[in-house]
Amino acid sequence: MTMVNINAVGFCAHYSKEGDWAFDFALELSRRRKAPLHVFHFLSDPYDPDDNSAERMTPDERAKEAIAREKELRLYYDKRAGDYLDVGFRFCEDPEWTELHRCLLIREFQVLVLGYVGPSAVFAGRPIEEFAHSFVSPVVLVGPSSADELRLNSRAALIADKLGITRSNWSLIEHQSA
């Protein structure tokens, strides 16, 4: 079996306490691995299945909204990153799964970190556990009760030691059949 080398960490922005915990986890992992942290943000909120605001915008409105949101994103996470400078930002307009998969293929990250707001959470139009379970890279969900509550997909479980996680500190994301 090929072991994943963590050369970069991906994080999907979410303005919530769980999103902040996930960012802190991703930032600490990036620091420990001396790896860049790539912060992804989407015009339509991947955590909100009803957010289709981007679809209703004209191209000019989309461009203006993208600029405003990217500025907000950079200000928010630059402050949280403190003195860690190896943080990049990507404001994405494509659907979440497509964009994240494309970034994974070009090796922009080897592990993806997401805030986990609870069992009913949705990400990219699917239950977040289903998204994480089926995503092709290691995924870590952080939350919902504390920053120490971690859920790993099977790919992340294989590299838990590289993620700096001991077995007692995480649970496996199981596939849920409908």
Side-chain angles (χ1 to χ4, degrees), residues 17-172:
K17 70 179 179 196
E18 297 86 0
D20 289 348
W21 294 336
F23 178 81
D24 293 344
F25 177 87
L27 178 65
E28 180 57 31
L29 177 59
S30 294
R31 284 182 195 266
R32 275 196 327 271
R33 303 298 300 185
K34 295 179 177 55
L37 173 58
H38 297 284
V39 178
F40 298 93
H41 194 56
F42 297 89
L43 198 53
S44 293
D45 184 355
Y47 285 88
D48 182 356
D50 298 323
D51 182 4
N52 61 358
S53 57
E55 296 169 14
R56 296 188 312 265
M57 293 181 197
T58 67
D60 285 345
E61 290 170 332
R62 286 171 71 99
K64 287 179 185 175
E65 184 67 17
I67 290 168
R69 288 202 196 171
E70 185 170 359
K71 181 179 178 183
E72 175 187 26
L73 176 76
R74 287 175 182 270
L75 289 172
Y76 187 81
Y77 288 107
D78 270 345
K79 184 177 180 180
R80 292 192 63 81
D83 63 352
Y84 193 70
L85 301 178
D86 204 356
V87 180
F89 299 91
R90 178 177 290 218
F91 195 83
C92 309
E93 292 190 43
D94 284 344
E96 302 81 15
W97 191 93
T98 303
E99 189 70 28
L100 291 172
H101 195 261
R102 181 181 306 126
C103 292
L104 176 65
L105 287 176
I106 59 174
R107 312 294 294 161
E108 284 195 37
F109 65 88
Q110 288 75 44
V111 60
L112 181 63
V113 181
L114 301 172
Y116 180 65
V117 297
S120 62
V122 172
F123 188 85
R126 297 166 46 189
I128 196 168
E129 297 93 343
E130 182 183 318
F131 173 88
H133 178 78
S134 65
F135 198 64
V136 296
S137 80
V139 176
V140 178
L141 301 179
V142 182
S145 301
S146 74
D148 297 331
E149 192 174 358
L150 305 174
R151 289 173 173 76
L152 309 182
N153 71 358
S154 60
R155 291 153 201 88
L158 292 173
I159 62 165
D161 59 325
K162 289 185 177 193
L163 298 172
I165 303 170
T166 61
R167 179 59 185 117
S168 62
N169 291 348
W170 60 271
S171 61
L172 185 65

